[in-house]
Amino acid sequence: MSMERTFSIIKPDATRRNITGRIITKLEDAGLRVVAQKRVLWSKAQAQAFYAVHKERPFFDDLVAFMTSGPIVMQVLEGENAVAKNREIMGATDPADADPGTIRAEFAESLEANSVHGSDSPDTAALEISMCFRDDEIPG
């Protein structure tokens, strides 16, 4: 097991319903520690830059519109195998396929409004963290 960091977003559908605390509790109960966190309202340009990897996909514009529709909570999570642990507790992207007890099974409204985002690899986590947090915002 290795200690690592990953990146997490609590999406606008969850912040709108005031369930950020419930989601964070699930993450912490799974053994992840929030080492940095901030609530922001992304601009269109910020959302487009973050999701640039999906720029050519048909859902890109809808994703950007959704992610700028309200505040999001960005977090740096730390723990043993944090990337895999976070993805496990989030559940499948499509809440219809998510295992019971996962965040998406319990809280997602739809495939798009699925309450959370999490990095899919350690390399992606490092990139996403660097895009969204300055070094001085993350304790050593």
Side-chain angles (χ1 to χ4, degrees):
M1 300 283 257
S2 65
M3 187 66 68
E4 65 185 10
R5 288 185 171 172
T6 192
F7 180 73
S8 168
I9 297 176
I10 300 176
K11 294 181 177 182
D13 62 296
T15 62
R16 182 185 72 251
R17 291 178 288 143
N18 201 33
I19 59 172
T20 56
R22 292 170 65 189
I23 291 171
I24 293 166
T25 295
K26 289 189 80 62
L27 295 169
E28 291 177 333
D29 287 350
L32 297 170
R33 186 170 72 93
V34 178
V35 296
Q37 179 182 77
K38 58 185 172 182
R39 182 181 292 257
V40 301
L41 184 59
W42 262 350
S43 68
K44 182 177 181 180
Q46 288 171 307
Q48 287 173 326
F50 186 84
Y51 288 109
V53 66
H54 299 303
K55 186 177 176 186
E56 302 303 321
R57 309 280 297 268
F59 60 80
F60 179 74
D61 289 336
D62 289 339
L63 176 61
V64 169
F66 171 65
M67 292 301 292
T68 59
S69 69
I72 60 174
V73 176
M74 299 186 294
Q75 302 174 107
V76 178
L77 306 174
E78 183 177 77
E80 296 288 333
N81 296 308
V83 172
K85 177 57 71 177
N86 186 40
R87 295 189 69 75
E88 176 185 323
I89 195 62
M90 284 191 316
T93 302
D94 185 340
D97 298 329
D99 290 337
T102 62
I103 292 168
R104 289 175 172 150
E106 289 187 23
F107 302 120
E109 295 179 316
S110 66
L111 178 60
E112 179 181 76
N114 63 10
S115 300
V116 288
H117 161 88
S119 303
D120 61 5
S121 73
D123 289 341
T124 302
L127 175 63
E128 291 176 343
I129 290 168
S130 71
M131 289 177 73
C132 297
F133 285 89
R134 296 184 321 266
D135 288 344
D136 67 349
E137 293 178 308
I138 306 170

